Amino acid sequence: QVQLVESGGGLVQAGGSLRLSCAASGLTFSRYDMGWFRQAPGKQRELVAAMPSGGSTNYAASVKGRFSISRDNFKNTVFLQMNSLKPEDTAVYYCALGPYREPYRYWGQGTQVTVSS
């Protein structure tokens, strides 16, 4: 059974850093595209960072230069390093995996990130 387990969220002051982790099981990790999404109250879920299986990266303009997505295929884990956090980064963050060139199929449970002023 495929599972994505997220960790690393929490409360941090503006300017601080957090690293989110998403550990996957039940699939061949290296064959999947991966992404991080976030959803704040009253807002639509948005793609924050993406890494197709080929290894390239793409970021939302609002986080470019501050966030970094990476993966460890041996540990079946995807990371989101978040630096210089701002209050507007406050949201529930979700990791997602999908077969190459297909919609995201598997989703993590979400982890809360709260950035205080």
Side-chain angles (χ1 to χ4, degrees):
Q1 180 175 311
V2 174
Q3 281 190 297
L4 303 181
V5 180
E6 298 183 36
S7 62
L11 175 64
V12 65
Q13 292 184 335
S17 298
L18 287 172
R19 189 176 78 158
L20 306 183
S21 298
C22 177
S25 62
L27 51 77
T28 304
F29 190 75
S30 62
R31 297 181 180 179
Y32 283 78
D33 301 334
M34 60 187 62
W36 286 95
F37 293 77
R38 68 184 181 187
Q39 187 167 23
K43 297 183 179 180
Q44 297 185 48
R45 182 161 53 190
E46 64 173 339
L47 179 65
V48 175
M51 177 178 281
S53 59
S56 61
T57 58
N58 188 40
Y59 299 93
S62 59
V63 307
K64 190 173 296 183
R66 300 187 297 117
F67 290 11
S68 179
I69 185 173
S70 61
R71 67 197 297 169
D72 185 336
N73 289 331
F74 294 105
K75 296 183 177 180
N76 286 356
T77 302
V78 57
F79 305 95
L80 184 67
Q81 178 67 44
M82 304 184 294
N83 299 322
S84 301
L85 283 162
K86 304 175 181 179
E88 50 263 44
D89 295 319
T90 296
V92 177
Y93 284 72
Y94 301 88
C95 63
L97 300 179
Y100 181 58
R101 293 181 176 178
E102 295 184 17
Y104 290 106
R105 179 181 297 178
Y106 305 109
W107 294 81
Q109 81 280 7
T111 184
Q112 177 70 48
V113 172
T114 302
V115 184
S116 62
S117 300

